[in-house]
Amino acid sequence: MSSHPIAETVASLMPRAQQELAELVAFQSVADWAQFPRSESEKAAAWVAGALRAEGFQDVALLDTPDGTQSVYGYLPGPEGAPTVLLYAHYDVQPPLDEAAWVSPPFELTERDGRWYGRGAADCKGGFIMHLLALRALKADGGVPVAVKVIVEGSEEQGTGGLQQYAEAHPELLTADAIVIGDAGNFRTGLPTVTATLRGMTLLKVRIDTLAGNLHSGMFGGAAPDALAALIKVLDSLRAEDGSTTVDGLAADGVWEGLQYPEEDFRADAKVLDGVELIGDGTVADRLWARPAVTVLGIDCPPVIGATPSVHASAGALISLRIPPGADVQEAIKLLEAHLRAHTPWKARLELEVVGQGQPFQADTSSPAYASMAAAMEVGYPGQQMQISGMGGSIPLCNALTSLYPEAEMLLIGLSEPEAQIHAVNESVSPDELERLSVVEALFLVNYARSKQV
């Protein structure tokens, strides 16, 4: 770690950061009221608002967004004439999945083997703590040199677009010269990285009906159309033999020209079992950052335990389609829907419902903000230069902000490096990464303020 005074301040603040992250992780803030109480998310939002008030933020507000969740906003004035920087994170988290598979409780921050484990530790409660650390270090070093807006979303993981819709209805709220999205991650631990592209996404519910009710498979099987079999055929049509995504009419031959992802590293990061092949063609970077990817997220059908010898009348699935930069999400949805209809067998009845969507994103890496970030990363990560990568995930808000504020420079950094295992069991954050990136963000704000001085 650098011996810069800001780095020394951040290091001294790390015990407090760990305690605060533990408090925030303890809230079971999954923005799905069918799984977790709304009150848990409301408590997390209140905690974030309290933290902003304690740092001197003004106009702190719990914004009731159209999807029924709350985003937290605050404004910290800066010196006269200074630029404004918007810092983003989200406090909502993915559900813990199989809690029995967690080594330690998912909503209890636990230190183990040099990492802090807990749901949201990296994605993205840790991102909010990173923002706090950076601002505290600047205040201790003479003051924050820019005006700061903070927005902490309450439903990013659900993809329901509440903050996006709120921002579009209140476009003056989040205006800024630069935007730092704290919801990405380094390509590898210790390798400073800015994410320049994001795939867009859509979530589509599929339901197939063939019969008025289930039938005895002995008496009717072989002639009665089985809805589950029809669904399996439809889902299978979305992949080629090598596993590549195949949606009729949707381009799937993009090439990633930047930082590459060695296959052996990807296999280790993804924990691919020995002997199991990767899917798709092209480089790993092509597949992750430049091409579409379909995933079946869930299927509604009887479980094996308790299953009866029946021909099924209905079956359903939830499908995710990730869309690379250069493609339009609305066009991709039309192609996906047309594909599913064209590949539904036996004239089975098909119902489709779009339940989430977001456009892909591509940043301008030639902007002054990127130069300011590169200089900051060289200090925060001595001997390393900033890398620019893509990310296969989606942050729908990015495109909304780009549309609302086309002149704003946007950078994506964060704590979700591969070892963090975000969205999986045993999610964790590296405290070293939290410390370094907090230093980086603080120095970025200093550099960016200087770059805007006349």
Side-chain angles (χ1 to χ4, degrees), residues 245-257:
T245 293
T246 54
V247 175
D248 297 341
L250 184 63
D253 57 355
V255 175
W256 179 263
E257 300 289 355

Side-chain angles (χ1 to χ4, degrees), residues 93-175:
V93 297
Q94 286 283 336
L97 303 175
D98 180 7
E99 293 199 33
W102 284 74
V103 175
S104 51
F107 295 106
E108 182 180 312
L109 194 71
T110 305
E111 186 169 3
R112 188 170 65 252
D113 301 325
R115 298 183 69 91
W116 300 344
Y117 287 80
R119 176 58 90 219
D123 182 27
C124 178
K125 292 176 176 180
F128 177 63
I129 300 299
M130 175 183 74
H131 295 328
L132 289 182
L133 279 170
L135 296 174
R136 286 168 180 162
L138 288 171
K139 288 163 70 176
D141 195 53
V144 180
V146 297
V148 175
K149 293 180 178 179
V150 168
I151 188 72
V152 186
E153 190 173 1
S155 58
E156 191 276 338
E157 298 293 6
Q158 295 299 314
T160 46
L163 178 57
Q164 178 179 338
Q165 297 168 54
Y166 191 96
E168 290 168 347
H170 304 82
E172 75 291 343
L173 183 71
L174 302 181
T175 53

Side-chain angles (χ1 to χ4, degrees), residues 51-120:
L52 292 179
R53 292 189 187 99
E55 295 303 320
F57 275 75
Q58 301 175 5
D59 306 322
V60 176
L62 298 174
L63 310 176
D64 293 319
T65 60
D67 63 357
T69 63
Q70 295 178 318
S71 291
V72 187
Y73 170 82
Y75 174 68
L76 187 68
E80 184 177 355
T84 298
V85 178
L86 174 67
L87 305 179
Y88 167 89
H90 63 85
Y91 68 81
D92 70 301
V93 297
Q94 286 283 336
L97 303 175
D98 180 7
E99 293 199 33
W102 284 74
V103 175
S104 51
F107 295 106
E108 182 180 312
L109 194 71
T110 305
E111 186 169 3
R112 188 170 65 252
D113 301 325
R115 298 183 69 91
W116 300 344
Y117 287 80
R119 176 58 90 219

Side-chain angles (χ1 to χ4, degrees), residues 307-325:
T308 61
S310 300
V311 177
H312 297 291
S314 301
L318 180 63
I319 298 171
S320 163
L321 177 64
R322 302 285 181 170
I323 306 154

Side-chain angles (χ1 to χ4, degrees), residues 211 215 217 219-226 311:
L211 302 165
L215 298 173
S217 61
M219 296 178 65
F220 295 94
D226 188 323
V311 177

